[in-house]
Amino acid sequence: MHDFLSIHPAVAAALRANQPVVALESTLISHGLPHPANVETALALEAAVRAAGALPATVAVLDGRIRVGLEAEDLERLAQPGVRKVSRRDLPLVLASGADGATTVAATMIAAELAGISVFATGGIGGVHRGVETTLDISADLEELSQTDVAVVCAGAKAILDLQKTLEYLETKGVPVIGFGTDRFPAFYTASLPLPVDGRVDSADDAARMLRAKWQLGLKGGVVIGVPIPEEAALDAEAVEAAIRQAVDEAENQGVRGKELTPFLLKRLEELTGGASLAANRALLLNNARVAGQIAVAYARQKAEMALPRKVTAPNKRPPGY
Ligand code: PSU
Ligand code: MN
């Protein structure tokens, strides 16, 4: 059907039957987590989506094709060093050259929309970087959220970013930022931040209803659904902030820029927190996969209900006077 897109047969069958599917990204496998925790976590995320009653579809580029739905051996391949990080602008060249690539939030959203998947789980979205005044470093994830119809279930964005400016950017672009069971924007390793979200939902059903409202109106673009890290897995906010400041300083001194910056900061943070950031990352990822599974289930159910013929409320008889 498509030269550059392959949808796994099980995923395609589920989508045709309006069964719930959750997209998962692969940059966190290739550039976000160390080996072998990356493969193990990728498998655990798929299991968490299944446990919630949905089908996982991990997205990556393999041999010059976007693949939606992977096998375990594909995950292992993506965990090897040297896999390219692929965002929107990288897709054409990587596809044309027949290479492999790990998809960012932006590229995974593009693939999900092409496949017809509405719900996507990840750890955190990219955003406006600290020091944007001099670097102009703003993740393509934010622009993608403004134009691609996929809900991104995440633990907010990492405090390696400028979260206030990230939220301002999303507001300008008309992207709803919703707290799942919270009034505040989750800050990845730590649950609470004094930054408010636009609105709050307290159940998967409410989240699904909001998505239907947005897309039925034809309001293009995604939604950020922020899920706080489970309390028992959260890190100490001050310790995290100190480690982040140090990592950001080091990046600046070493001239780390562009697509290398986020992976550099994540790796340094893990080292500086003695691995604590890795355990927290894993815990929030699993939690997000579970919530995304629940939202996908609710969304599929609501869509099926809407499609039913309404025998009772709309009789096939014309009312008098017509
Ligand atoms: N945030 C994380 N872990 C990650 C990423 C973000 O906590 O692995 C990845 C995601 O794939 C995201 C990408 O889309 O980094 C953003 O990179 P950049 O800032 O270069 O757009
Ligand atoms: Mn960037």
Side-chain angles (χ1 to χ4, degrees):
M1 182 190 113
H2 212 294
D3 275 359
F4 298 107
L5 175 68
S6 301
I7 302 174
H8 191 288
V11 173
L15 290 168
R16 269 196 306 274
N18 186 33
Q19 281 160 6
V21 178
V22 172
L24 298 165
E25 60 140 311
S26 46
T27 290
L28 72 95
I29 303 173
S30 304
H31 301 278
L33 300 169
H35 194 271
N38 49 5
V39 181
E40 188 268 329
T41 303
L43 289 168
L45 290 179
E46 294 197 345
V49 169
R50 282 183 209 277
L55 191 66
T58 304
V59 172
V61 176
L62 292 174
D63 300 319
R65 290 175 79 86
I66 299 178
R67 298 262 306 270
V68 179
L70 300 179
E71 304 290 346
E73 71 230 38
D74 302 325
L75 300 175
E76 190 62 55
R77 181 164 151 191
L78 290 163
Q80 303 311 313
V83 177
R84 222 183 129 131
K85 177 173 158 185
V86 176
S87 197
R88 168 178 275 265
R89 69 155 184 193
D90 310 290
L91 272 173
L93 197 61
V94 173
L95 293 176
S97 67
D100 291 353
T103 50
T104 63
V105 168
T108 305
M109 288 179 75
I110 292 170
E113 190 184 60
L114 284 170
I117 300 171
S118 303
V119 182
F120 164 23
T122 186
I125 55 169
V128 179
H129 280 268
R130 297 184 185 197
V132 67
E133 298 85 354
T134 50
T135 62
L136 210 65
D137 190 346
I138 301 171
S139 174
D141 291 354
L142 300 186
E143 205 58 42
E144 204 60 50
L145 278 159
S146 76
Q147 58 177 317
T148 301
D149 297 0
V150 176
V152 181
V153 180
C154 59
K158 266 204 195 75
I160 58 172
L161 302 167
D162 186 324
L163 296 181
Q164 180 98 55
K165 291 193 179 70
T166 299
L167 290 173
E168 291 293 350
Y169 196 99
L170 290 168
E171 179 180 354
T172 300
K173 294 291 176 175
V175 179
V177 177
I178 305 299
F180 192 86
T182 178
D183 298 310
R184 293 175 174 206
F185 190 56
F188 208 80
Y189 299 123
T190 54
S192 63
L193 250 203
L195 298 172
V197 286
D198 307 334
R200 163 184 182 145
V201 296
D202 285 293
S203 69
D205 250 314
D206 287 350
R209 201 166 299 113
M210 190 230 2
L211 297 178
R212 285 200 302 116
K214 176 169 166 72
W215 293 327
Q216 262 184 37
L217 286 180
L219 297 175
K220 289 292 295 172
V223 175
V224 175
I225 300 180
V227 186
I229 185 172
E231 217 170 298
E232 65 280 4
L235 300 183
D236 177 68
E238 276 175 33
V240 171
E241 178 59 26
I244 287 170
R245 276 182 202 277
Q246 182 174 339
V248 170
D249 277 352
E250 288 178 7
E252 204 182 308
N253 292 337
Q254 294 173 32
V256 182
R257 270 185 235 108
K259 66 199 290 182
E260 310 303 333
L261 181 60
T262 299
F264 175 91
L265 293 175
L266 299 182
K267 181 153 178 292
R268 274 309 278 147
L269 215 50
E270 189 199 317
E271 289 159 4
L272 291 168
T273 61
S277 70
L278 179 58
N281 207 344
R282 191 178 180 286
L284 66 87
L285 277 163
L286 288 174
N287 191 47
N288 296 346
R290 181 180 62 83
V291 171
Q294 293 169 354
I295 293 173
V297 167
Y299 187 69
R301 187 179 53 232
Q302 288 180 22
K303 275 206 313 192
E305 281 166 10
M306 290 304 292
L308 285 177
R310 302 214 196 159
K311 288 202 189 97
V312 182
T313 52
N316 212 1
K317 244 198 260 163
R318 285 184 183 176
Y322 273 69

